[in-house]
Amino acid sequence: MLLRDRTAIVTGGGSGIGREIALTFAREGARVCIADINIESARAAVEEITRTLQIPAMAVAMDVSDEASVDFGVTAMTAAWDRVDILVSNAGVQHIEAIADLSLANWRRILDVHLDGAFLTTRACMRRMKAARSGTILYMGSVHSKVASPLKAPYVTAKHGLIGLCKAVAKEGAEFGIRANVICPGFVRTPLVERQIPEQAAALGISEEDVVRKVMLKETVDGEFTTTEDVAAVALMLASFPSNALTGQSIIVSHGWHME
Ligand code: NAD
């Protein structure tokens, strides 16, 4: 087991990509704390882990954009398990709208969840990781950390910003044995993407089938969606990587949707 006796906190772990990562880490022996604004979904994921794997897991209610909520959640985890070895900063939301129509409130809402959320969870975990002189931080970026698409300005901006934060953490964390990397998935069929299909169809004036074929999958090498399992496999590889050789990097997992 690659993560035996390690502890991990996964934000947004109640659904989609985060849930798959939490389950994958638990299967590899990690105790996982699932932190989600939707506590019912976090509890359901914990129930699945404890029932199927007989391994301890915990759920905490957390709004990653709220300082007190993040600090409270990370403290609850370390009170129970004493340390945090791995942070997966994954919670995310999307907003589809043209820049000219976008309200400041919607701009801020997306940046708050992705950027404030990544900073606040990083700070809370890094304090513990520095004391322990070891830790791994994974940010859930996107192909939109590398390129832009229409109608997604705040999301594209936030996802690019995560690469900057990751590099800063990699520089500051190195002397404490802390490394940081970004995972950049292509389109994955989670609730976040299912909601986008009709929204993009309406905004672009095309059918939902064309959103899938021409917007989401056209640039892939095989016409396939990236899966939650694809992303979790990369997260496991990064979380279990044995040295600081792999830090400050952003790894694209997108069936070739974007290549560099
Ligand atoms: P999802 O909607 O299935 O899951 C997102 C989770 O985040 C949910 O459980 C939700 O309750 C939680 N969440 C939302 N706001 C939160 C907040 N303020 N505090 C705490 N939890 C919050 O979506 P997903 O597709 O699994 O997305 C997970 C991450 O992957 C996001 O950062 C997203 O941007 C990124 N991503 C997704 C795709 C994709 O195609 N699905 C592609 C690239 C990147």
Side-chain angles (χ1 to χ4, degrees):
M1 287 206 264
L2 292 170
L3 300 177
R4 190 194 295 280
D5 297 331
R6 311 270 295 277
T7 65
I9 181 164
V10 183
T11 70
S15 175
I17 291 170
R19 185 182 171 113
E20 190 73 43
I21 291 173
L23 287 164
T24 302
F25 283 12
R27 262 182 236 116
E28 292 295 333
R31 282 172 289 166
V32 182
C33 174
I34 298 180
D36 205 295
I37 201 164
N38 179 344
I39 186 63
E40 288 315 316
S41 69
R43 287 198 183 115
V46 163
E47 197 276 326
E48 185 175 348
I49 290 171
T50 48
R51 179 172 43 80
T52 58
L53 301 170
Q54 281 93 43
I55 200 158
M58 66 187 286
V60 295
M62 181 187 288
D63 175 353
V64 295
S65 65
D66 182 90
E67 187 173 22
S69 174
V70 169
D71 289 343
F72 185 83
V74 174
T75 300
M77 178 193 173
T78 50
W81 295 336
D82 206 33
R83 57 180 217 274
V84 49
D85 298 310
I86 304 163
L87 162 65
V88 184
S89 172
N90 163 81
V93 287
Q94 179 59 280
H95 183 81
I96 304 294
E97 200 167 19
I99 294 167
D101 301 325
L102 191 60
S103 67
L104 181 59
N106 278 327
W107 168 266
R108 284 192 176 140
R109 187 171 61 84
I110 302 302
L111 265 59
D112 283 356
V113 174
H114 292 273
L115 288 181
D116 291 5
F119 161 64
L120 291 169
T121 51
T122 296
R123 188 182 65 180
C125 293
M126 216 170 157
R127 286 174 176 159
R128 275 87 173 177
M129 290 172 175
K130 274 175 91 166
R133 300 196 71 81
S134 125
T136 297
I137 299 179
L138 303 181
Y139 298 102
M140 198 51 63
S142 163
V143 286
H144 289 107
S145 299
K146 307 281 185 174
V147 294
S149 293
L151 309 177
K152 295 185 176 179
Y155 186 84
V156 168
T157 304
K159 291 300 192 189
H160 276 66
L162 289 178
I163 291 186
L165 176 63
C166 168
K167 289 176 178 172
V169 172
K171 290 270 184 192
E172 275 189 35
E175 68 175 293
F176 303 100
I178 300 167
R179 52 181 179 271
N181 291 289
V182 186
I183 303 171
C184 300
F187 284 95
V188 184
R189 260 198 125 137
T190 64
L192 181 137
V193 158
E194 295 296 347
R195 278 191 294 274
Q196 261 180 71
I197 295 172
E199 288 172 15
Q200 289 221 45
L204 296 170
I206 59 176
S207 69
E208 292 188 20
E209 195 195 339
D210 279 351
V211 170
V212 171
R213 272 193 317 117
K214 296 184 179 162
V215 178
M216 295 185 167
L217 301 180
K218 182 162 173 256
E219 300 302 329
T220 62
V221 294
D222 53 9
E224 298 275 343
F225 275 97
T226 302
T227 64
T228 57
E229 290 85 356
D230 291 329
V231 183
V234 174
L236 178 62
M237 184 273 288
L238 289 169
S240 59
F241 196 79
S243 80
N244 283 344
L246 202 44
T247 193
Q249 304 303 308
S250 46
I251 297 182
I252 303 162
V253 47
S254 71
H255 286 247
W257 194 94
H258 180 66
M259 301 183 192
E260 58 179 17

